[in-house]
Amino acid sequence: MLAAMARSLVVKVTAGADAPERCAQAFTVAATAIASGVDVSLWLTGESSWFALPGRAADFELPHSPPLAELLHVILTSGRVTVCTQCAARREITESDLLPGVRIAGAAVFVEEAMADGVQALVY
């Protein structure tokens, strides 16, 4: 009998405060997957890039949704968080601006993660 292959999840969130429900869904799915033992990589693109900076997630509010700062903490503790290179550059966000544990990487790294064996990619 073959052992079950471990599955991973790559979540790309393309919205921030400009589309709060879509943004919160992405963070909720990523944090829930981590709580279920799934290896998770969360990619912040577009307006969600701002949540990689200290204090920004705490300012996000959406009724009936878990606090974004708590979801981000769960993801940073047990998963990976990446800000899109171009998105960071357009917002003048640098590595020194980021929360500890967040990195900046480009499309080639996203494609590599998303195309790896056993990976499910979701885009919000």
Side-chain angles (χ1 to χ4, degrees), residues 11-107:
V11 177
K12 184 177 196 176
V13 55
T14 62
D18 58 327
E21 288 183 305
R22 191 163 27 121
C23 176
Q25 288 170 2
F27 278 80
T28 300
V29 166
T32 301
I34 285 172
S36 300
V38 176
D39 177 53
V40 174
S41 175
L42 178 70
W43 281 73
L44 305 177
T45 68
E47 287 300 296
S48 72
S49 301
W50 293 115
F51 297 127
L53 278 62
R56 293 293 184 104
D59 293 338
F60 180 93
E61 291 184 16
L62 181 64
H64 311 290
S65 179
L68 201 70
E70 290 179 19
L71 297 172
L72 181 57
H73 175 73
V74 167
I75 299 162
L76 279 169
T77 300
S78 299
R80 292 173 308 289
V81 178
T82 306
V83 178
C84 157
T85 300
Q86 290 181 20
C87 301
R90 279 189 282 276
R91 290 160 182 80
E92 298 181 358
I93 297 171
T94 65
E95 292 274 353
S96 63
D97 298 320
L98 302 175
L99 289 164
V102 178
R103 68 177 177 167
I104 295 175

